[in-house]
């Protein structure tokens, strides 16, 4: 069922299942011809980063080691043996970076908090200086009129917890909840939106399944399935801990890179097949979070290797959410109706000639930004959806005049946002969009070879320079419409 995984997404094939109860939402496949241009009033425009990718300062102010410190310092694990030791020095340059955001006109900044800064050993006594940097960052954002949106886990698990089993251990799920409650109590007076995990499917499948991300394991199926369960359990327990510790106005949700299923042709039969596929191909992640149960097909597929869980686990995993964040870069599958198949759907191949961006895994399929949120709203009646990551990498070399003419990214953003506007015009409740990323940064196993930023970073000098795409995004934000 699980096949090759990339950095941002993965493809699955699933067995039989009936489509769950139809939700009240029913989006039109096409907006009406008279629909006015632009996004809904109050639409939130933002940008995003992650702690290990931008902060640096890995040994400052009591921070403990993370699995990415260990992994990146293991020869051969990261391209060119790059590390996040310095990254783009956001830890010291955050004030300048906030001014870059202000110049863009964004209304929100999604950043992540490094768990090992707060609890260097993952549990036990908190580091008194652990949240000081985030206090300073949050205050600088608010002073510039930018809302801080914080992610509690963007892959930098404390190494001490990995030494005790990492996500294979239920204790890690409990430790994550304790950490989440601690952070929520500290920053909930100013940060009103918290994400639990970023992309469970990525850090489990790539880190514990394929071994190409930290901690670099290739677990057999039963252990991998159990790690996956503990990660979604950690999400649910963290939601509960945040509710208990934070102020009532703090909202919480996940940021998951869902398996996006696009109908091969936009007819009713293929659309229904894509809905079924979306539910099944996300069964171990978003589906269980929003339904509180593993689908029959998922359990049949795992068979004797199914994770061990309790009814209490499932109730925690399904803790009510205030919003759902989804990271979307590309369509994972094109789906067709298959009336003779027990599942009712089949996957059409993505052929060798399919266009892609600089990174081969990023297939260019703008329609994913329509169908992804549309399926989430239809299947699970989600009322508030945010696109929490979307963007692309490029080589992004400055021209002779010093400008980075990233016309490939301009094309990408314009075409993807055209499809997102199609979704909002059709009534899909997408409330905001976070472009990945504010800055070029450490791009996990790719090191510094891939640049996702709106701002070019000279890694030798740390100089930031807005790219052509930054000008495009600034204009889109100002218009609240495509530019």
């Amino acid at each position: 069922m699980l096949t090759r995984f990339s950095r941002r997404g993965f493809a699955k094939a699933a067995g039989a299942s009936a489509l769950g109860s139809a939700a009240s939402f029913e989006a039109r496949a096409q907006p009406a011809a008279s629909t006015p241009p632009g996004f809904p009033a109050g639409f939130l425009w933002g940008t995003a980063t992650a702690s290990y990718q931008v902060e640096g300062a890995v040994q400052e102010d009591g921070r403990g080691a993370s699995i990415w410190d260990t992994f990146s310092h293991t020869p051969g694990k990261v391209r060119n043996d790059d590390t996040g030791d310095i990254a783009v020095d956001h830890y010291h340059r955050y004030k300048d970076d906030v001014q870059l955001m202000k110049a863009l006109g964004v209304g929100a900044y999604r950043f992540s908090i490094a768990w090992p800064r707060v609890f260097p050993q993952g549990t036990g006594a908190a580091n008194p200086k652990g949240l000081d940097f985030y206090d300073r960052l949050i205050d600088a954002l608010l002073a510039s009129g930018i809302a801080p949106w914080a992610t509690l886990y963007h892959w930098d698990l404390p190494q001490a917890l990995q030494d005790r089993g990492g996500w294979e251990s239920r204790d890690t799920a409990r430790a994550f909840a304790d950490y989440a409650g601690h952070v929520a109590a500290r920053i909930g007076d100013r940060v009103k939106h918290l994400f639990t995990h970023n992309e469970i499917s990525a850090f489990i499948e790539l880190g514990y399944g394929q071994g190409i991300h930290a901690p670099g394991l290739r677990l057999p199926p039963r252990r991998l399935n159990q790690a996956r369960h503990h990660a979604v359990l950690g999400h649910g327990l963290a939601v509960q801990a945040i509710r208990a510790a934070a102020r009532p106005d703090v909202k919480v949700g996940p940021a998951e890179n869902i398996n996006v299923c696009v109908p091969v042709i936009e007819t009713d039969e293929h659309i229904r097949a894509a809905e079924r596929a979306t539910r099944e191909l996300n069964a171990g992640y978003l589906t269980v979070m929003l339904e509180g149960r593993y689908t029959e097909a998922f359990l049949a597929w795992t068979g004797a290797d199914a994770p061990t869980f309790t009814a209490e686990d499932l109730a925690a995993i399904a803790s009510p959410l205030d919003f759902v964040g989804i990271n979307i870069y590309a369509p994972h599958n094109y789906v067709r109706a298959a009336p003779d198949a027990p599942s009712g759907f089949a996957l059409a191949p993505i052929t060798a000639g399919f266009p892609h961006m600089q990174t081969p895994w990023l297939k260019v399929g703008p329609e994913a930004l329509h169908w992804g949120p549309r399926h989430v709203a239809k299947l699970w009646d989600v009322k508030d959806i945010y696109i929490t990551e979307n963007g692309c990498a490029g080589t992004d070399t400055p021209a002779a005049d010093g400008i980075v003419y990233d016309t490939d990214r301009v094309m990408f953003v314009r075409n993807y946002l055209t499809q997102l506007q199609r979704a909002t015009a059709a009534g899909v409740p997408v409330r905001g969009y976070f472009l990945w990323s504010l800055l070029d940064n450490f791009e996990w196993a790719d090191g510094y070879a891939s640049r996702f930023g709106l701002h070019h970073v000279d890694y030798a000098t740390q100089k930031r320079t807005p790219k052509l795409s930054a000008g495009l995004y600034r204009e889109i934000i100002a218009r609240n419409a495509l530019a």
Side-chain angles (χ1 to χ4, degrees), residues 94 98 111 113 131-144 146-150 186-191:
Y94 71 92
V98 170
F111 61 96
I113 293 172
L131 286 170
D132 289 353
F133 165 68
Y134 302 104
D135 279 334
R136 296 192 297 271
L137 173 62
I138 290 164
D139 290 344
L141 290 166
L142 292 172
S144 293
I146 301 168
W149 290 49
R186 171 76 172 265
I187 68 174
D189 59 330
R190 291 156 294 155
V191 178

Side-chain angles (χ1 to χ4, degrees), residues 211-256:
I212 61 176
H213 279 187
L217 301 180
R218 296 176 180 268
L219 298 180
R222 181 169 179 78
R223 289 172 62 187
L224 180 63
N225 292 336
Q226 196 65 53
R228 183 186 298 118
H229 174 74
H230 290 154
V232 293
L233 176 61
H235 153 80
L237 294 176
V239 172
Q240 294 179 344
I242 291 166
R243 300 276 191 227
R247 299 186 180 198
D249 59 344
V250 172
K251 299 183 184 299
V252 61
E256 187 55 35

Side-chain angles (χ1 to χ4, degrees), residues 266-340:
E266 294 186 10
T267 61
D268 288 345
E269 61 174 350
H270 295 310
I271 292 171
R272 287 194 298 271
E275 292 168 357
R276 294 186 178 96
T278 296
R279 180 171 180 264
E280 287 301 347
L281 274 55
N282 292 286
Y285 300 105
L286 195 59
T287 303
V288 70
M289 292 182 201
L290 296 177
E291 296 186 15
R293 64 189 180 101
Y294 291 112
T295 67
E296 293 177 4
F298 177 82
L299 293 176
W301 167 70
T302 55
D305 294 321
T308 300
F309 58 89
T310 66
E312 290 76 16
D313 287 355
L314 296 179
I317 290 167
S319 296
L321 304 173
D322 298 301
F323 60 86
V324 170
I326 49 177
N327 299 352
I328 295 179
Y329 289 83
H332 295 88
N333 294 290
Y334 285 88
V335 178
R336 62 179 177 83
D340 295 333

Side-chain angles (χ1 to χ4, degrees), residues 88 140 174 232 252 257 293 304 347 420:
V88 295
R174 298 187 189 100
V232 293
V252 61
N257 59 325
R293 64 189 180 101
L347 307 182
L420 185 61

Side-chain angles (χ1 to χ4, degrees), residues 53-58 83-91 448 459 462:
Q53 293 183 267
V54 298
E55 287 179 3
V58 296
T83 75
D85 289 0
I86 299 173
V88 295
D89 199 29
H90 182 64
Y91 194 82
Y448 297 99
Y459 295 123
Q462 296 295 344

